[in-house]
Amino acid sequence: MLRGARRGRRSVERRQRHDLDDAVLHRLVLDEDVRPVETPVDARELIDDRVRGEERAGVRHGVAADLAEVAEDDVAAITDRREAVRRDVRLAADRVRGGQRHAGEEQGAAVLVHFELGAAEGVVAEDRRALDGREVRASRIDVIDAGEPFPIFTDQTEEFLLDRRHLAIRSQESVAIFRVKAELLRAFREFFDREEVVEMTPPVLTGNAAEGGAEAFQFDYFGRPGYLSQTAQLYLEALLFPHERVYALTPSFRAEKSRTPRHLTEFLNLEVELAWCDFAVLLEFIERMMVDVLHAVAERRGKELKSLGRPPEELLAIRAPFERIRYSEAIDRLAKLGFPVHFGSDLGTAEERALTLESKNPLFVTHYPRELKAFYMLQSRDDPRTVEASDLLGPEGYGEIVGASCRETEIARLEERIGQIGARVEEYQWYLDLRRHGNVPHAGFGLGVERVLRWMLRREHIRDTTPFPRTPSRHLP
Ligand code: 4AD
Ligand code: MG
């Protein structure tokens, strides 16, 4: 028998009560018996009692079922009661529902659950309605703040939810998504630690638009143009010389107006730069990294993955090597599928989708035409029309998740390409210095964290994978 097993006592104990619109601290003692329910109490009766402010004697062994469910099923039905008290109960229910933190507790264990603005004491019991099949049967709930009813329900429009994103992120779905995201970032960091790749902290405020002007967010930097970083790559290349193997996880900003399900204006770019690395070694590194982190997340967050529609076994089935095809081969395949493409065509969403729609493994597309790619990519020595670059396409049609290349070593070629993208060579002098003062062959890549998650979690839209998505039409909340 657990603590305080006196039975039959039931009271509504208000320690303090202000206007409900203010913060309210009150304690609802529903039952002091914290044993598992033997004779479940009718939840509606309990609420009725509370509404009348009455104490009820004679109920044995009872706890008030889980107040979360009490409210969902019954509160709405009690329409003739005072609004204030209904609101109270619903609030407590919302808090419990929104913030259950009892995973891992054994069935039958007595627990004290802390949720936002409250705490519940009770017993863990089986409940098939709960996400993990267990629920706390609350014997006491302390409400620390009574607010207005929670505005998020089922079947609300996407826009409504995005406008209330600061509250919608309390949903079980969001909780699962961001647990997986945290695990993914942890897995990357663990992988880099093992591979002795050192974490760096490049700037986000910059004086040149690294990847070219059109897609950079420009702002006034004390009278001079400043840009939000599109990539940390140029800084990582500088940091490579003292550290040899470096990475950074930084937000990247793209002023692309593209409203697609895979573009954000702010995303997390995980970028790596490796010295003494040729193209084959680069692709092997990416492949090893992907398999490693996907397996780690599948093993540690199986429950969340499953609840989000991605059985972890599907990630565990992903193995090296990934198929590698040249861009020219991709063009052939696409032409056979009826796409009007030729050597030089950019591969957009539809083309990338078609290339992996049927596959379960990611696909490397290599040797893109030079003009399609960034100025710093190494011109292929065997086919000068192309660069030693690869995009890794996610399986199941999800498209580019990683952009990788060996870096151009010759200053003249870099200057030529900088001119072609319409940038001013003077602004890149510091970058060209890296080639002047003792260059080594190196290569690197950037991985879009939200792109990877979109695929891993089978999300229709990339915005689901970031708590406060930034798109051309939204930077609030
Ligand atoms: O391919 P990107 O533009 O490559 C670079 O930024 C290189 N400088 C990286 C490097 O080599 N260090 O971007 C890298 C990845 C893409 O493969 C894609 O996954 C993701 O970032 N990405 C985006 N994700 C969300 N929204 C956008 N608008 C994105 N643009 C690129
Ligand atoms: Mg790219």
Side-chain angles (χ1 to χ4, degrees), residues 330-341 351 354:
I331 291 293
D332 288 348
R333 286 191 192 182
L334 288 166
K336 285 202 187 94
L337 291 169
F339 284 88
V341 287
E351 290 80 7

Side-chain angles (χ1 to χ4, degrees), residues 311-333:
E313 302 74 38
E314 292 180 5
L315 300 180
L316 292 169
I318 290 175
R319 304 217 167 268
F322 303 161
E323 192 188 357
R324 293 146 165 77
I325 61 169
R326 286 193 168 232
Y327 164 90
S328 49
E329 157 79 15
I331 291 293
D332 288 348
R333 286 191 192 182

Side-chain angles (χ1 to χ4, degrees), residues 211 231 233 254 256 264 267 271 376 400-401 403 407 446 448:
E211 300 263 327
T231 169
Q233 180 191 324
R254 306 281 166 97
E256 294 168 292
L264 295 165
F267 66 94
E271 296 181 273
Y376 46 70
E400 178 190 346
I401 52 178
R407 310 313 190 188

Side-chain angles (χ1 to χ4, degrees), residues 216-220 224-228 255:
F217 280 105
Q218 197 178 333
F219 60 94
D220 175 63
R224 279 168 296 156
Y227 304 90
L228 292 179

Side-chain angles (χ1 to χ4, degrees), residues 95-158:
R95 300 297 191 226
V96 175
R97 191 166 59 241
Q100 287 153 9
R101 292 285 178 272
H102 55 86
E105 299 288 351
E106 287 308 310
Q107 168 95 5
V111 289
L112 181 63
V113 187
H114 288 275
F115 49 94
E116 311 146 84
L117 309 176
E121 195 176 281
V123 176
V124 179
E126 247 173 55
D127 190 326
R128 61 189 162 72
R129 289 169 299 187
L131 187 64
D132 63 354
R134 286 165 306 169
E135 196 63 279
V136 173
R137 295 262 159 80
S139 54
R140 204 195 76 211
I141 292 187
D142 291 347
V143 178
I144 291 161
D145 176 58
E148 295 172 26
F150 202 61
I152 310 287
F153 306 98
T154 48
D155 299 328
Q156 284 163 323
T157 67
E158 199 61 31

Side-chain angles (χ1 to χ4, degrees), residues 211 230-233 236 252 254 256 262-265 267-269 271-273 376 391 400-405 407 444-451 462:
E211 300 263 327
Q230 298 162 291
T231 169
Q233 180 191 324
L236 288 178
S252 278
R254 306 281 166 97
E256 294 168 292
R262 60 183 201 150
H263 284 90
L264 295 165
T265 51
F267 66 94
L268 272 182
N269 206 346
E271 296 181 273
V272 175
E273 211 59 38
Y376 46 70
D391 283 356
E400 178 190 346
I401 52 178
V402 177
S405 78
R407 310 313 190 188
F445 64 89
L447 171 146
V449 173
E450 289 83 7
R451 290 267 181 102
I462 193 168

